[in-house]
Amino acid sequence: MKRFFQPVEKDGSLKKKPTLTTSSSPSKSEEKEEQNGESVVITEEKREPLKFISWNANSFLLRVKNNWPEFTKFIAAFDPDVIAIQEVRMPAAGSKGGPKIQGEVKDDTNSSREEKQTLMRALSSPLFQNYQVWWSLADSKYAGTALIVKKCCQPKKVTFSLDQTASKKHEPDGRVILAEFESFRVLNTYVPNNGWKDEEHSFQRRRKWDKRVLEFVLRSSDKPLIWCGDLNVSHEELDVSHPDFFSSAKLNGYVPPNKEDCGQPGFTLNERKRFSTILSEGKLVDAYRSLHEEKDMDSGFSWSGNPIGRYRGKRMRIDYFLVSEPLKDRIVSCEMRGHGIELEGFFGSDHCPVTLELSQKTSIDSAES
């Protein structure tokens, strides 16, 4: 429980804290700042988010430990309103064998407490003091997502499932965070990898996921959607660096019975067809491709293989911002923030951040919505 005390002068009298505003309107966000040794309340008008980052961090804790200065420099320069993280890889709270609290980071052992403290210290730094964090975590150090939103852009509601009537509050493995704002929804997902075989945890799992996503976007058409994250699919041939390599890839020589399931996970024909269906029936626009029609071999991909080994120089665009058609004309920019086969701008992950910037909502947009 938080307790707030008024500062007491040496003579015992109460001293009222100075403020920059006296408004207590719920439409404004209040922040505290030190000025001349006193805590001053700063009020900022609430608004809808316009600048977004999506990033598969490939272990958020490792990025905090090893790549935090360069990543925070990037955050400070872009100044996002929303940061969507995938593959957090922090276990959910809850004792061994007991139910998990997927919205909280595990801290019931010495090692987990230290890891949580490391993470929270990073997110308590001055740069992130104006943000709020939501977690959706797996039972172990696997998958998981996070959504970090500026307090002046707070969503009306945050949920963690594709199913509005789901009995479980969170998707398995913490793969979904859905934030509803005044004029649109933001969906952050870490999509299951297709895998290499037609079995429960590979092809079948991905087919079920794609079916549920299509149902979700059709059911949620009452409000525009911004869908971001590691979607684990490269839609067209220009979205991979080496189409022939990826389309003929095999694991240990295994060839699936259906030829349209052959190839690198994320680049099989069946995955790409289902993705096309989601885009067309959901009336979604690929924000990056709407601005970049040609293949960019230097900075047109979000995932890159290890600089050493078979995947050296092999790259895929599997991280996206998809927006509902009514938002298309508001797209100012959408960029892959890493480049080159040496993973510059990837901040230690095998994925680089993707950014999206929208223009302000106009009066025409308001009338149409």
Side-chain angles (χ1 to χ4, degrees):
M1 179 182 294
K2 293 182 179 179
R3 294 179 173 84
F4 299 93
F5 300 95
Q6 290 179 288
V8 180
E9 292 286 78
K10 289 182 180 180
D11 62 2
S13 63
L14 293 175
K15 181 179 180 181
K16 187 177 180 180
K17 295 181 180 181
T19 63
L20 297 187
T21 178
T22 57
S23 171
S24 58
S25 169
S27 66
K28 296 184 179 181
S29 174
E30 290 189 348
E31 298 298 330
K32 291 184 178 179
E33 183 177 289
E34 290 295 321
Q35 291 186 9
N36 298 322
E38 297 295 343
S39 180
V40 179
V41 176
I42 309 235
T43 300
E44 185 175 358
E45 290 286 348
K46 284 202 171 183
R47 57 181 178 79
E48 69 173 7
L50 298 174
K51 301 177 74 174
F52 307 81
I53 289 176
S54 177
W55 185 38
N56 179 322
N58 192 14
S59 177
F60 199 31
L61 180 66
L62 285 182
R63 304 292 76 83
V64 167
K65 288 181 175 179
N66 301 329
N67 311 94
W68 204 236
E70 54 180 334
F71 179 66
T72 53
K73 184 178 180 181
F74 164 65
I75 294 294
F78 185 70
D79 189 27
D81 298 319
V82 175
I83 306 170
I85 304 292
Q86 306 89 44
E87 212 166 349
V88 172
R89 290 193 183 180
M90 291 293 290
S95 59
K96 186 175 182 181
K100 303 300 179 183
I101 307 171
Q102 288 182 269
E104 297 180 16
V105 178
K106 181 180 176 68
D107 63 356
D108 64 334
T109 66
N110 288 337
S111 60
S112 64
R113 273 192 295 274
E114 289 177 4
E115 290 178 345
K116 181 177 179 179
Q117 288 171 1
T118 299
L119 200 60
M120 295 311 173
R121 275 196 299 269
L123 293 175
S124 299
S125 64
L127 181 62
F128 288 94
Q129 285 179 355
N130 292 330
Y131 290 86
Q132 183 172 343
V133 185
W134 285 267
W135 305 97
S136 190
L137 306 171
D139 292 354
S140 60
K141 289 186 175 182
Y142 172 72
T145 51
L147 194 71
I148 307 171
V149 183
K150 272 187 178 176
K151 293 175 182 176
C152 61
C153 302
Q154 288 301 283
K156 298 168 63 177
K157 181 171 65 173
V158 178
T159 53
F160 306 91
S161 173
L162 293 174
D163 303 319
Q164 294 176 338
T165 59
S167 57
K168 290 187 176 180
K169 186 177 180 182
H170 292 250
E171 289 286 337
D173 303 324
R175 292 185 179 273
V176 168
I177 301 181
L178 176 65
E180 181 171 349
F181 296 90
E182 188 66 34
S183 59
F184 52 70
R185 295 184 179 97
V186 174
L187 176 65
N188 173 25
T189 63
Y190 176 41
V191 174
N193 188 285
N194 190 59
W196 296 90
K197 296 184 178 181
D198 192 359
E199 54 189 21
E200 183 179 358
H201 295 295
S202 293
F203 293 173
Q204 295 174 29
R205 176 178 68 166
R206 181 56 181 268
R207 289 188 204 115
K208 291 176 182 176
W209 170 275
D210 289 342
K211 180 176 182 291
R212 291 179 62 223
V213 167
L214 177 59
E215 292 170 349
F216 168 82
V217 297
L218 294 176
R219 187 174 64 243
S220 306
S221 59
D222 61 308
K223 182 175 283 192
L225 177 69
I226 298 173
W227 177 17
C228 67
D230 177 356
L231 306 193
N232 256 320
V233 62
S234 293
H235 189 206
E236 305 287 355
E237 287 198 353
L238 74 165
D239 296 316
V240 297
S241 60
H242 298 73
D244 292 341
F245 171 86
F246 287 116
S247 60
S248 61
K250 300 182 182 69
L251 180 67
N252 300 326
Y254 173 78
V255 178
N258 185 339
K259 65 179 183 180
E260 293 192 343
D261 285 322
C262 294
Q264 176 79 24
F267 196 62
T268 67
L269 283 175
N270 270 335
E271 290 173 272
R272 294 162 60 194
K273 286 180 178 179
R274 293 195 300 267
F275 191 62
S276 290
T277 299
I278 293 170
L279 292 180
S280 60
E281 294 194 19
K283 295 181 172 57
L284 296 171
V285 175
D286 180 344
Y288 177 81
R289 192 55 68 203
S290 73
L291 301 177
H292 307 272
E293 297 181 354
E294 304 295 330
K295 178 180 285 191
D296 181 346
M297 289 297 291
D298 181 61
S299 56
F301 308 102
S302 63
W303 176 88
S304 182
N306 194 294
I308 300 173
R310 179 169 177 254
Y311 281 89
R312 174 176 171 80
K314 309 296 193 301
R315 291 169 287 170
M316 308 175 76
R317 188 171 71 94
I318 58 178
D319 302 82
Y320 292 79
F321 275 99
L322 306 178
V323 304
S324 296
E325 289 180 355
L327 296 175
K328 180 180 178 181
D329 291 339
R330 291 179 58 190
I331 300 172
V332 174
S333 68
C334 185
E335 302 295 337
M336 309 289 116
R337 291 295 177 146
H339 63 93
I341 63 176
E342 303 301 330
L343 304 177
E344 294 181 46
F346 282 65
F347 308 114
S349 176
D350 54 347
H351 296 248
C352 72
V354 183
T355 60
L356 171 72
E357 184 172 359
L358 300 179
S359 62
Q360 290 278 359
K361 186 177 181 180
T362 66
S363 56
I364 295 176
D365 296 325
S366 301
E368 289 178 347
S369 62

